[in-house]
Amino acid sequence: VSPLYTFFVAGASGLFGDWSVLFFQILLTSLVPVLVFLMVDELTKRLWIPYLAGVFASLYAPSLFYCSLLLPDALFNLTNLIMLFFLFIGFKKSSFWCFLFAGISAGLSLLLRGNVALFVIAIFLYLLTRRKLRRYAVAFVLPALLVISPVIIGNIANGERLLLTSNAGINLFIGNNPAATGRYSQPPGLSLGDDLVGKKTAEYILGHKLTYSEASSFWAKKALHFIIDNPGKFFYGVVQAAHILLPQIEELEGRVPTVVPIGIDQDPYIR
């Protein structure tokens, strides 16, 4: 569950009404082609290439798809592009302020999807290993930590042993349970429409109240027990999707029909 997107939806709908959520989302994501134009403009001296890149970005089907959905992916693409833009300029011009703004953008991306932490850590470690760039490591990572710190503090204050989100456990269980088929499907007994992280169901099974972190741990443990007891089924989804990692050229059997185990929100990436 994305903290930043939750605040965005609640703030927009609370101040201006439900209609404004998609309006402001589309307005913000319209900056994506502009950022693409600016980044390509820094990479090439040919005047027409940045304009062409901007046009392609504005017509890119997955971006248009996400703009119309109440999902954090649209804003996630925007914050990631802002981060990459400032990182690119920072590396190119050794600019302290660019790394600072890249760190702020990285913090916003973390509040939309926690897995971007791997990228942030990688950039931080890379900066530490380069003598000329080492001084910018703190300028990049400290703003990111400051941006996410209110959410972490709020979680701790509410008795949650969480950094950002509580959906890791249920996500692991969705793909690793007795009814899992390799495709996205709701496990029997769960109603994720009104119990997004499975907290209510976990409380019903255990017979007592749980925190969100305890609910996440409950589903993670069930998933891990299933993986240990059924290693073959654990690899089933991986094997089923393996063809998407191979170039579908004549030398490798040509075009191969593939069933990809993903949800509707990820489908445009594959297409």
Side-chain angles (χ1 to χ4, degrees):
V1 180
S2 164
L4 180 59
Y5 196 69
T6 302
F7 296 145
F8 169 74
V9 172
S13 60
L15 291 173
F16 305 103
D18 294 343
W19 65 269
S20 65
V21 177
L22 284 178
F23 173 79
F24 285 115
Q25 181 168 292
I26 292 171
L27 190 66
L28 288 170
T29 53
S30 65
L31 296 174
V32 168
V34 178
L35 287 167
V36 171
F37 170 86
L38 293 174
M39 290 182 68
V40 176
D41 191 46
E42 292 287 339
L43 287 168
T44 181
K45 295 180 180 180
R46 297 183 179 182
L47 295 178
W48 61 274
I49 294 181
Y51 290 98
L52 187 62
V55 171
F56 282 157
S58 65
L59 299 176
Y60 187 51
S63 295
L64 298 175
F65 176 80
Y66 282 118
C67 283
S68 62
L69 297 179
L70 288 176
L71 289 171
D73 302 75
L75 297 186
F76 184 59
N77 290 337
L78 175 64
T79 55
N80 279 346
L81 269 176
I82 295 173
M83 173 179 63
L84 292 173
F85 173 74
F86 281 116
L87 279 176
F88 177 76
I89 302 300
F91 280 118
K92 185 177 181 181
K93 300 182 178 180
S94 297
S95 170
F96 170 86
W97 290 106
C98 284
F99 281 107
L100 184 73
F101 287 123
I104 295 172
S105 304
L108 295 176
S109 288
L110 282 166
L111 292 179
L112 289 166
R113 280 192 182 274
N115 53 11
V116 79
L118 296 174
F119 179 79
V120 173
I121 293 171
I123 293 297
F124 176 67
L125 293 177
Y126 176 80
L127 290 171
L128 287 179
T129 59
R130 295 295 183 268
R131 185 177 301 176
K132 293 182 179 180
L133 298 173
R134 195 170 297 164
R135 55 182 174 170
Y136 301 124
V138 175
F140 172 66
V141 78
L142 185 60
L145 293 175
L146 289 175
V147 169
I148 66 175
S149 60
V151 174
I152 297 175
I153 293 170
N155 286 337
I156 295 172
N158 285 289
E160 298 286 357
R161 292 175 296 172
L162 296 169
L163 289 179
L164 295 172
T165 62
S166 60
N167 58 344
I170 192 65
N171 283 345
L172 186 64
F173 180 75
I174 287 172
N176 299 279
N177 67 81
T181 63
R183 305 182 191 182
Y184 177 83
S185 60
Q186 184 170 272
L190 278 169
S191 179
L192 299 178
D194 55 5
D195 187 17
L196 193 59
V197 296
K199 180 174 178 289
K200 295 177 183 177
T201 307
E203 290 174 340
Y204 177 79
I205 294 172
L206 296 176
H208 59 82
K209 289 287 185 180
L210 298 172
T211 63
Y212 281 97
S213 56
E214 289 171 341
S216 182
S217 297
F218 170 81
W219 294 114
K221 288 176 181 177
K222 285 182 71 69
L224 290 173
H225 283 309
F226 175 81
I227 292 170
I228 293 170
D229 295 337
N230 303 274
K233 287 189 176 181
F234 169 67
F235 286 106
Y236 177 77
V238 177
V239 173
Q240 190 180 34
H243 268 118
I244 68 173
L245 301 178
L246 298 175
Q248 296 194 6
I249 56 179
E250 293 301 327
E251 290 78 2
L252 296 173
E253 301 181 11
R255 295 179 63 84
V256 180
T258 306
V259 178
V260 183
I262 59 173
I264 188 173
D265 60 321
Q266 296 151 350
D267 180 70
Y269 285 127
I270 303 300
R271 291 183 184 276

